[in-house]
Amino acid sequence: MNNNLFKTASTPLEQNYLKNEYERFNEVRHHIVNELKEQVEHILIDIDSNPVVSGRIKNFSSYFSKYLRLLKMGMKDPKISDLLGIRIICPFIEDLAAAEDLIIKKFDVLEREVKGHYTFKEFGYESTHLLIKLPSSIIEKYGDPDTDIAEIQIRTILQDAWAEVEHELVYKAEFSPFDEPMKRKLAAVNASLSLADIIFQEIRSYQRKYSKELGKRRESFFQKIEESTDELLFSSPQTNEAKLHFDVNNELADVHFDYNNVTIDDLLVNALSAHNQNRFGEAINQYTKILELKLISTDPSGQRSESDRLIRSIIYKHRGMANFACSQYSEAISDFSSSLDFDSGSYKAAYYRGVVHSVLKQYSHAIDDYSLSLSINPYQSFCLFRRGQAYYHIGDYPQALADCENSLALEPNNNSTSKFKDLLLEKLRM
């Protein structure tokens, strides 16, 4: 250790000199950090969870303390590598690697360090630190900041929270290594935060899987609607119902699913997955199993809770879709009706029931269902289109045209609706 250097740096004269040098470049550094922050925000824009980016310049007090520490370690001319800093805070663990990959592609990374220490002063928070070379374009634009390096830290929200609190409790205090009870408490808090990060990621992954399966199911269901109802309108009078039908009971006989030790969420994802793979009998079986379970406890009066009613409404709606997909029309109507019983605001269940009635050529019932759906949510171009089709089939062409035009007002580029309008205008000219 060079004690002479350390003593020199500790003198007011040396400290004042360093402070003057520090402040001489301050304005340039602020410009550079702001520019760097904007560049990082731009390259992270494709990460769905929208990481938060902040920039900072190490204040002189922290700068000088680190300068002294480096002198004590024997460095003759200490260089502070984290004078300019960017911090990326991500909601989920999976975002950390994505953010890091984007930074590596954009900047010249000089050093990478994953900090996650477990001494008595460092209770295990993790954080990825990247030292990058400042882009020459930034230096040319704003001038020399007296450093050509910046540090980028990448953390989750909880990792960042732990780091901030730890800094106040540990690094700024004289924390004795012999305070075992306090050490254990801090370690327990850190472990809890780490577990929370893992659980949040698991929930995120589950939601993504659920959304993917739900999207596939909707696509399959709406395709069946198009095939069933448009065929009645634009094809020959003889509808080939046989091609839409198969024996669901035979399919159910081959299903062997272990319902022990599974959650409602597991059952729902499995049901959606079976639904998307056209294994409708298995999907119906699993939806039924969910409905047989006690989903959520009742309220103090013994009535089903609002959450329970909404969940049951959704499950009945899903099972109705599966029944419709395999042409079990009476079962589908029953399920959509049950969905409405549990949630009177389920405009989709009313619309779906109307579709089934249309397929069965029960157009008056279909009109009632479409009208119910539109009374709940009037901004449904597809529902107006279907009600217009039902009016067409009972010969009410003016009302059909009104619905068709209202549908086009909401969705002007819908080819099917435009084609239907041409058909109606031709009928009205006759």
Side-chain angles (χ1 to χ4, degrees):
M1 181 179 70
N2 192 324
N3 289 320
N4 290 330
L5 280 172
F6 175 62
K7 289 177 181 177
T8 301
S10 301
T11 64
L13 181 62
E14 176 70 5
Q15 185 172 350
N16 288 337
Y17 171 77
L18 288 173
K19 187 172 184 179
N20 289 335
E21 285 295 294
Y22 171 88
E23 292 177 347
R24 186 158 66 94
F25 297 96
N26 228 19
E27 184 176 354
V28 171
R29 289 169 185 158
H30 278 288
H31 287 307
I32 288 177
V33 164
N34 289 336
E35 176 84 10
L36 200 57
K37 174 178 175 290
E38 290 179 5
Q39 289 192 14
V40 171
E41 286 175 333
H42 180 72
I43 67 173
L44 298 181
I45 197 168
D46 290 333
I47 297 181
D48 292 338
S49 60
N50 299 316
V52 175
V53 181
S54 61
R56 65 106 182 99
I57 299 172
K58 187 182 285 293
N59 62 41
F60 179 74
S61 176
S62 298
Y63 167 83
F64 187 64
S65 296
K66 189 164 187 177
Y67 183 89
L68 293 180
R69 287 200 304 272
L70 294 176
L71 281 178
K72 291 174 69 175
M73 293 169 59
M75 293 186 182
K76 294 183 179 181
D77 186 19
K79 298 295 183 183
I80 310 301
S81 61
D82 61 345
L83 183 59
L84 308 179
I86 298 293
R87 184 172 295 172
I88 301 171
I89 307 301
C90 303
F92 303 103
I93 294 174
E94 68 179 3
D95 300 325
L96 300 177
E100 183 178 348
D101 287 344
L102 291 170
I103 294 297
I104 291 173
K105 290 177 182 177
K106 173 68 176 180
F107 299 104
D108 182 7
V109 177
L110 305 174
E111 181 181 317
R112 177 183 186 272
E113 180 182 6
V114 178
K115 295 190 176 182
H117 305 288
Y118 294 90
T119 67
F120 76 93
K121 278 197 171 185
E122 298 167 309
F123 284 88
Y125 87 88
E126 291 187 1
S127 180
T128 300
H129 292 212
L130 304 174
L131 292 183
I132 68 165
K133 186 175 180 61
L134 287 177
S136 58
S137 59
I138 292 182
I139 296 177
E140 290 171 3
K141 183 176 181 180
Y142 297 108
D144 179 20
D146 197 33
T147 181
D148 61 352
I149 295 174
E151 181 185 68
I152 298 180
Q153 300 176 355
I154 308 173
R155 302 170 176 167
T156 65
I157 294 171
L158 295 183
Q159 288 170 351
D160 186 61
W162 169 258
E164 292 296 321
V165 174
E166 181 196 43
H167 185 73
E168 293 294 324
L169 293 180
V170 179
Y171 287 94
K172 288 188 177 181
E174 291 297 326
F175 192 88
S176 169
F178 302 107
D179 292 337
E180 291 294 337
M182 191 60 67
K183 285 165 54 180
R184 287 194 293 271
K185 289 179 181 179
L186 287 173
V189 171
N190 176 260
S192 297
L193 290 175
S194 298
L195 179 60
D197 253 340
I198 293 170
I199 292 173
F200 288 155
Q201 181 58 57
E202 289 177 349
I203 293 172
R204 178 73 164 182
S205 299
Y206 170 80
Q207 287 177 328
R208 185 176 291 110
K209 181 180 179 181
Y210 177 86
S211 297
K212 182 178 179 181
E213 296 294 347
L214 198 60
K216 290 180 181 177
R217 178 200 43 77
R218 284 200 184 103
E219 183 178 350
S220 174
F221 180 70
F222 285 119
Q223 183 179 357
K224 173 65 184 292
I225 289 177
E226 298 298 323
E227 291 174 352
S228 300
T229 58
D230 288 353
E231 187 172 15
L232 292 174
L233 190 63
F234 299 119
S235 301
S236 61
Q238 288 76 31
T239 301
N240 186 7
E241 292 288 344
K243 71 177 182 181
L244 301 175
H245 185 77
F246 59 88
D247 191 347
V248 66
N249 294 318
N250 288 339
E251 186 190 0
L252 279 171
D254 296 330
V255 174
H256 302 286
F257 184 79
D258 183 9
Y259 291 103
N260 296 321
N261 301 317
V262 293
T263 66
I264 292 172
D265 287 345
D266 292 331
L267 289 172
L268 183 54
V269 170
N270 285 328
L272 290 174
S273 180
H275 198 152
N276 296 335
Q277 296 171 30
N278 296 329
R279 294 182 283 114
F280 300 116
E282 182 179 346
I284 292 168
N285 197 24
Q286 293 187 44
Y287 289 137
T288 301
K289 187 66 177 180
I290 295 172
L291 290 167
E292 291 173 352
L293 298 175
K294 183 179 181 181
L295 302 183
I296 297 177
S297 59
T298 57
D299 61 26
S301 67
Q303 300 297 315
R304 293 191 187 279
S305 67
E306 185 64 23
S307 296
D308 181 280
R309 295 182 64 84
L310 289 175
I311 291 173
R312 289 184 181 277
S313 175
I314 292 169
I315 301 304
Y316 273 117
K317 184 168 61 182
H318 286 191
R319 194 175 70 174
M321 292 176 179
N323 275 314
F324 176 75
C326 56
S327 303
Q328 298 285 94
Y329 297 131
S330 60
E331 289 85 350
I333 289 174
S334 176
D335 280 340
F336 293 138
S337 297
S338 295
S339 179
L340 281 164
D341 288 341
F342 281 104
D343 178 14
S344 59
S346 181
Y347 64 91
K348 288 185 179 179
Y351 167 68
Y352 296 157
R353 190 172 66 183
V355 169
V356 182
H357 279 131
S358 290
V359 172
L360 295 174
K361 302 181 182 180
Q362 299 170 353
Y363 298 116
S364 294
H365 290 307
I367 290 169
D368 289 341
D369 286 332
Y370 294 139
S371 297
L372 173 60
S373 181
L374 288 164
S375 71
I376 302 169
N377 178 10
Y379 304 105
Q380 301 179 73
S381 61
F382 44 88
C383 191
L384 286 163
F385 174 50
R386 299 299 172 194
R387 189 174 70 175
Q389 287 182 326
Y391 277 122
Y392 170 87
H393 285 296
I394 64 173
D396 190 344
Y397 301 141
Q399 186 59 57
L401 181 60
D403 277 347
C404 184
E405 289 178 336
N406 287 331
S407 178
L408 284 170
L410 294 172
E411 193 177 353
N413 298 321
N414 189 301
N415 292 330
S416 295
T417 312
S418 297
K419 183 179 177 181
F420 180 44
K421 181 179 178 179
D422 292 339
L423 176 64
L424 288 168
L425 291 173
E426 182 181 341
K427 288 287 185 181
L428 289 169
R429 284 195 293 266
M430 291 180 179

